[in-house]
Amino acid sequence: MAQKIADDMDRKILKELTRDARLPNNELAERVGLSASACLRRLRRLEEAEIIQGYTTLVDPAIEGWTMTALASVRLSRQHEDEIRMFENAVLEWDEVLECHLVTGTRDYVLKVMSAGLDQYERFIKEKIAKLKCVDTIETSFVMNTIKARRV
């Protein structure tokens, strides 16, 4: 398997883009110590290798009215393929779910859910998660404060 990141220069480029993905190529090149054309070639190679998987805008969730974050731990009644597929397909449709992770331990999934408040979160649980026949238990922890959040 070919190495996707060629060297420390690739790492410098990625570090700068992680800080500010809107950097113009000439400024990015200057920050990492390359010519603009060499920097652009490396950038295109990183994109083609899918090391850079896209560019996005992070929007304040409060714009959507989402001011509360919850971590919901879900256990399925059985770990059969049909129930797993049912749950995962449902999660993909729910806008409130920002992240869904299949985990080890006593729970099967951990979901990061945002809502406008406790009432909206309760509706989400009752009208979406709890209605799935494959769900056995749901345990929720509410985020009081985010100490560190980092996107890679």
Side-chain angles (χ1 to χ4, degrees), residues 73 78 146:
S73 297
R78 299 177 308 155
T146 300

Side-chain angles (χ1 to χ4, degrees), residues 111-124:
L111 283 62
K112 180 178 179 182
V113 180
M114 294 208 66
S115 68
L118 193 55
D119 291 345
Q120 185 183 7
Y121 182 75
E122 180 183 9
R123 260 192 318 281
F124 168 73

Side-chain angles (χ1 to χ4, degrees), residues 15-127:
K15 186 174 183 178
E16 290 299 328
L17 288 175
T18 300
R19 289 182 184 153
D20 183 0
R22 294 181 57 161
L23 276 176
N25 183 60
N26 59 343
E27 188 174 338
L28 176 60
E30 186 177 313
R31 286 188 187 185
V32 299
L34 287 174
S35 69
S37 60
C39 184
L40 188 58
R41 278 193 304 274
R42 284 178 175 265
L43 188 60
R44 296 296 179 240
R45 184 180 48 74
L46 291 167
E47 291 169 346
E48 288 169 9
E50 295 184 351
I51 293 168
I52 296 176
Q53 297 178 351
Y55 301 88
T56 188
T57 300
L58 301 176
V59 178
D60 182 354
I63 297 297
E64 293 289 329
W66 294 344
T67 56
M68 189 179 83
T69 305
L71 302 174
S73 297
V74 177
R75 183 175 180 159
L76 301 183
S77 53
R78 299 177 308 155
Q79 283 74 33
H80 289 137
E81 186 178 337
D82 59 331
E83 291 194 356
I84 291 169
R85 192 175 317 111
M86 176 193 300
F87 181 78
E88 290 179 0
N89 287 339
V91 167
L92 292 171
E93 299 298 318
W94 299 333
D95 290 338
E96 300 92 340
V97 177
L98 301 184
E99 298 176 16
C100 176
H101 305 276
L102 177 63
V103 297
T104 61
T106 59
R107 303 294 176 191
D108 297 310
Y109 295 91
V110 174
L111 283 62
K112 180 178 179 182
V113 180
M114 294 208 66
S115 68
L118 193 55
D119 291 345
Q120 185 183 7
Y121 182 75
E122 180 183 9
R123 260 192 318 281
F124 168 73
I125 292 294
K126 288 179 177 177
E127 295 175 5

